[in-house]
Amino acid sequence: MRRTLVIVVVLAVALVLAVIYYALDPSSSAVFPHCTFLAVTGYKCPGCGSQRAIHALLHGDVADAFRYNALLLIAIPWIGLCLYAESRRTRNPRLYARLNAPALIWTFLAVVLLWWLLRNIFDW
């Protein structure tokens, strides 16, 4: 019963956020926070553009979403797989263990750091 309640609450919050991101454009709405790292340093963080990318995706504009934050777009299937593995942790422990292997986690960290560096060098 508790697990079902958690799932319902998470899905409800996700739906409300999707409606907000669909209805309001993060580029022009004061509702959404701006990147503190960008404001302080002038450099983009790995997550810069994610809110605009989500807004673009919800409107079916994959090209703009990719332009705003390519890493987010590429990571969405990975995030979905990780959420699935977490939800099936006891039923499929091998998948969960593979996705949480130290080598994979370090690889993901390296990809994020490389993205952070390259997007600032080449102004992506």
Side-chain angles (χ1 to χ4, degrees), residues 7-107:
I7 291 171
V8 168
V9 168
V10 167
L11 290 175
V13 168
L15 180 61
V16 167
L17 288 173
V19 168
I20 290 170
Y21 273 98
Y22 182 85
L24 301 174
D25 185 356
S27 299
S28 59
S29 177
V31 173
F32 300 99
H34 297 281
C35 180
T36 305
F37 185 81
L38 178 64
V40 171
T41 67
Y43 294 108
K44 295 177 185 176
C45 76
C48 275
S50 294
Q51 294 182 106
R52 289 172 290 162
I54 291 167
H55 177 77
L57 277 177
L58 290 172
H59 285 272
D61 193 346
V62 177
D64 264 356
F66 191 83
R67 188 173 50 83
Y68 288 132
N69 192 321
L71 183 62
L72 174 70
L73 203 64
I74 292 167
I76 287 174
W78 173 259
I79 293 166
L81 181 61
C82 287
L83 289 172
Y84 173 78
E86 178 65 34
S87 72
R88 301 291 182 207
R89 188 171 168 170
T90 56
R91 293 185 184 142
N92 194 349
R94 285 179 48 208
L95 175 63
Y96 180 81
R98 285 182 180 164
L99 292 176
N100 288 285
L104 200 55
I105 292 170
W106 283 109
T107 301

